[in-house]
């Protein structure tokens, strides 16, 4: 699921935000499905814009997170 970075099937939450931030700062790098889920902007790069979109989804649950094609 796009934005469910931790893949723990409990929805999108602050743990997903933390995982992406940790990836950006190099503390814990994401791999595999987590890396794919973190790229919510579908631009091939994990950055602050991905964090903003994930936070927006948490604050506004009706926000649609598009799937990358």
């Amino acid at each position: 699921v796009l934005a469910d970075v931790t893949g723990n099937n409990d929805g999108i939450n602050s743990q997903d935000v933390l995982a992406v931030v940790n990836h950006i700062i190099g503390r814990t790098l994401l791999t595999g499905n987590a890396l794919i889920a973190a790229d919510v902007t579908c631009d091939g790069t994990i950055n602050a814009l991905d964090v903003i979109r994930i936070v927006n989804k948490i604050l506004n649950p009706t926000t649609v997170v598009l799937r990358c094609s």
Side-chain angles (χ1 to χ4, degrees):
V1 174
L2 203 57
D4 185 11
V5 179
T6 57
N8 53 12
N9 296 320
D10 65 350
I12 300 165
N13 57 43
S14 60
Q15 290 177 336
D16 300 300
V17 175
L18 184 60
V20 175
V21 169
N22 281 334
H23 175 82
I24 292 170
I25 65 173
R27 181 174 289 156
T28 306
L29 297 180
L30 300 171
T31 60
N33 288 336
L35 190 61
I36 294 167
D39 185 15
V40 294
T41 58
C42 303
D43 63 359
T45 303
I46 310 302
N47 57 36
L49 188 53
D50 296 296
V51 173
I52 290 167
R53 291 216 177 152
I54 294 171
V55 169
N56 188 39
K57 177 66 177 172
I58 293 168
L59 297 176
N60 303 296
T62 58
T63 300
V64 175
V65 176
L66 300 176
R67 296 203 179 273
C68 303
S69 54

